[in-house]
Amino acid sequence: MVAKQASAAQHVVGGSQGWEESVDLDSWASGQTFKVGDQLVFKYSSGLHSVVELGSETAYKNCDLGTALDSKNTGNDIVKLNKVGTRYFACGTLGHCDQGMKMKITTVAGNAPSTPASASTSTTSGASVLHSFANFLLIAAFLAFNLLYLV
């Protein structure tokens, strides 16, 4: 359990611009990998925006805020991604969702790599390179031995 928490990523929604109308939130989300254990961090001006979690694709497409599962308005809200599946978020300020201030994310199993990448990913690739190099040396030694033996 400790390893899962250590490798969990915090995704600041919208990147450096945050949860704002000017951000293409769907494009931002499509460039991320969200996994169980990660967190979404919504940073925005409290009073100007809010975060509403919608319960269905239909509610998301229609900006139906009346069926909200949850609502947050602190300006620094954290949403824990605790299960695999698709989740839908929109701004609760009148008109903002209709103007595109919404996003849909898909959370994958906890063993998939997160974006931003964690240190464990680079350690794994280093181990793969080392393993491949060791195999190369074994094959080279085998070929050299056979060439010497046959000549």
Side-chain angles (χ1 to χ4, degrees):
M1 186 73 173
V2 174
K4 276 190 175 183
Q5 290 177 346
S7 64
Q10 277 198 332
H11 303 271
V12 177
V13 175
S16 60
Q17 292 179 284
W19 180 242
E20 293 294 330
E21 288 173 275
S22 61
V23 177
D24 183 345
L25 295 163
D26 280 329
S27 290
W28 174 84
S30 68
Q32 307 289 311
T33 301
F34 305 101
K35 70 179 188 177
V36 173
D38 287 357
Q39 295 178 339
L40 297 177
V41 181
F42 291 86
K43 293 182 181 257
Y44 56 92
S45 301
S46 182
L48 185 59
H49 300 296
S50 65
V51 179
V52 175
E53 183 168 2
L54 303 172
S56 70
E57 178 90 21
T58 302
Y60 171 76
K61 285 181 178 176
N62 297 327
C63 289
D64 183 1
L65 304 177
T67 61
L69 300 175
D70 192 17
S71 183
K72 299 179 183 303
N73 59 13
T74 68
N76 190 27
D77 303 318
I78 295 176
V79 174
K80 294 178 183 176
L81 303 177
N82 52 12
K83 63 182 177 180
V84 171
T86 302
R87 292 174 77 174
Y88 308 93
F89 299 94
C91 180
T93 302
L94 185 63
H96 288 194
C97 179
D98 292 315
Q99 294 170 10
M101 195 170 170
K102 61 183 179 175
M103 71 171 191
K104 138 172 121 169
I105 65 147
T106 301
T107 306
V108 296
N111 57 358
S114 282
T115 335
S118 64
S120 63
T121 305
S122 57
T123 305
T124 303
S125 2
S128 293
V129 169
L130 188 57
H131 183 73
S132 296
F133 183 69
N135 283 342
F136 168 77
L137 289 177
L138 285 172
I139 292 168
F142 175 77
L143 290 174
F145 176 78
N146 283 328
L147 283 174
L148 288 173
Y149 181 73
L150 294 173
V151 174

